[in-house]
Amino acid sequence: MPAVTKAAHAPGDFLVDYEEKVFEDVKAQPGEKALVTFHTVAFEGSIGFVNLLQATRLQRKGFETSILLYGPGVTLGVQRGFPTLGDEAFPGHQNFNKQIVKFMEEGGKVYACRFALQALYGHGEPSLIPGIRPINPLDVLDLTLLHRRDNAFILDTWTL
């Protein structure tokens, strides 16, 4: 049997070269927009949270950035907590809410489909995190088309 001759990794060790950046740091040109759409359920995987971080990064790079929550994506925008709203029942329980609030505080816009909110998930507009703008289900496509017309960067977040 082969012997392991290397010491175990220890806290503070580097496992990769995290400082090397291969590509230029792209910044938005004046007036450039970005749209990040979410058709994914909160807590069903990492993609929802990862792309909330991407939306925040786009905003910080100078893009006028909007988030669209539709279908199951509206579950990212509802207030949560236990035993009361705002309470963190377990570490990370408020990740979505905190990231959306941070995104809006930094100038981002968030829209949520009213149809999905009520018909699919049984929530009313007061369930949304304050600052999220509820929209007509017909606006879901038009918001996307407006961004396309403006040559915006569009990042679609889907999970099945």
Side-chain angles (χ1 to χ4, degrees):
M1 177 174 240
V4 177
T5 59
K6 293 188 177 227
H9 295 298
D13 285 352
F14 297 100
L15 301 181
V16 298
D17 179 356
Y18 68 90
E19 290 183 337
E20 180 191 22
K21 184 152 180 2
V22 176
F23 303 104
E24 70 176 283
D25 186 17
V26 176
K27 302 289 185 191
Q29 298 296 317
E32 280 192 300
K33 296 180 179 181
L35 174 66
V36 183
T37 71
F38 290 83
H39 193 276
T40 186
V41 179
F43 298 102
E44 292 286 316
S46 64
I47 192 69
F49 188 66
V50 167
N51 279 351
L52 285 174
L53 295 172
Q54 295 286 30
T56 302
R57 189 160 181 240
L58 284 163
Q59 182 74 18
R60 290 175 180 170
K61 285 178 163 289
F63 290 86
E64 181 185 318
T65 307
S66 298
I67 287 175
L68 170 61
L69 307 174
Y70 70 112
V74 297
T75 63
L76 278 75
V78 297
Q79 296 180 68
R80 55 181 43 88
F82 189 84
T84 64
L85 289 178
D87 291 339
E88 193 166 49
F90 54 86
H93 182 218
Q94 294 289 345
N95 280 353
F96 294 105
N97 296 61
K98 289 177 181 178
Q99 194 61 40
I100 287 173
V101 168
K102 180 187 293 187
F103 174 77
M104 291 189 295
E105 286 174 348
E106 293 183 16
K109 298 177 198 128
V110 182
Y111 302 95
C113 175
R114 287 182 167 122
F115 175 83
L117 191 64
Q118 178 180 326
L120 302 181
Y121 296 99
H123 289 284
E125 293 176 21
S127 295
L128 292 171
I129 297 167
I132 294 179
R133 175 80 162 93
I135 60 173
N136 186 297
L138 299 176
D139 284 329
V140 169
L141 179 60
D142 287 327
L143 177 63
T144 305
L145 291 172
L146 286 168
H147 278 80
R148 179 181 173 272
R149 183 182 68 192
D150 292 343
N151 293 314
F153 172 73
I154 300 175
L155 178 61
D156 291 308
T157 302
W158 280 76
T159 59
L160 299 174

